Amino acid sequence: MVKTTKEKPARKAKPKAAPAADVRTVFKATRHDSTDFRTGLTSYAAHLASGEPIIVENSDGQTSNGCGRGIHVCDTVLKTLQFVESIHRPYRWFEIEVLEKHLIQRRPEKERYSRIERVVRELTLSDIFGPDFAARIDAVKVEAVGWK
């Protein structure tokens, strides 16, 4: 006896999400109003609230120093400190997701992208410097009294 099977109709392929390996977590320091240091126009807090990606049209290609039109981020929060501008304190920091395919240039100190997929969250000082940050500052204040 021969069994026959019915063929199932072909299914439409679902769009594939980006593989997890292509998604990177990076960090952005901003002005006190959550806008970028360079232009003051892109609000990372607004994009956090809306969930919308940040896209830079006509971003520059690779440059000799890594600077140019695009979104500058760092692979660690502490690396962002080298790019902050003191006139815009207090700073704010954001955790961001990017896709490798939008990378314009990577240098040891920073990366530049043409698009940010998602602003994940705003970081607190405890997230950046550790939960005992305030206690460490108080301890330094006590010790600094004797410094000359």
Side-chain angles (χ1 to χ4, degrees):
M1 186 160 144
V2 176
K3 285 189 173 183
T4 59
T5 59
K6 282 188 175 180
E7 285 195 32
K8 294 180 182 178
R11 292 184 188 180
K12 287 186 179 180
K14 292 181 182 178
K16 292 183 179 179
D22 290 344
V23 176
R24 293 195 65 236
T25 297
V26 293
F27 302 92
K28 178 77 176 178
T30 69
R31 300 176 183 202
H32 56 86
D33 63 357
S34 88
T35 61
D36 63 285
F37 287 111
R38 178 78 172 109
T39 69
L41 298 175
T42 302
S43 171
Y44 287 78
H47 284 274
L48 173 61
S50 72
E52 293 291 320
I54 300 172
I55 302 168
V56 174
E57 301 294 337
N58 303 315
S59 52
D60 294 332
Q62 293 199 7
T63 61
S64 61
N65 64 359
C67 293
R69 191 164 161 75
I71 303 161
H72 297 248
V73 296
C74 295
D75 60 353
T76 71
V77 179
L78 294 179
K79 282 184 183 179
T80 67
L81 292 171
Q82 63 191 308
F83 302 107
V84 298
E85 297 174 9
S86 61
I87 63 169
H88 298 298
R89 285 188 289 200
Y91 313 124
R92 293 169 73 175
W93 286 270
F94 294 88
E95 179 181 322
I96 292 168
E97 286 182 348
V98 294
L99 295 178
E100 283 291 322
K101 69 181 181 181
H102 299 299
L103 176 68
I104 298 169
Q105 190 166 9
R106 179 174 288 131
R107 297 180 57 83
E109 69 279 3
K110 66 181 177 181
E111 301 171 9
R112 189 160 45 94
Y113 288 83
S114 60
R115 176 184 170 119
I116 286 176
E117 293 307 307
R118 181 169 80 104
V119 179
V120 177
R121 67 184 177 121
E122 183 168 0
L123 301 172
T124 66
L125 289 177
S126 291
D127 293 328
I128 299 164
F129 300 108
D132 62 341
F133 182 62
R136 289 186 286 143
I137 289 174
D138 289 340
V140 168
K141 285 181 182 176
V142 170
E143 184 180 331
V145 168
W147 293 355
K148 297 230 177 203

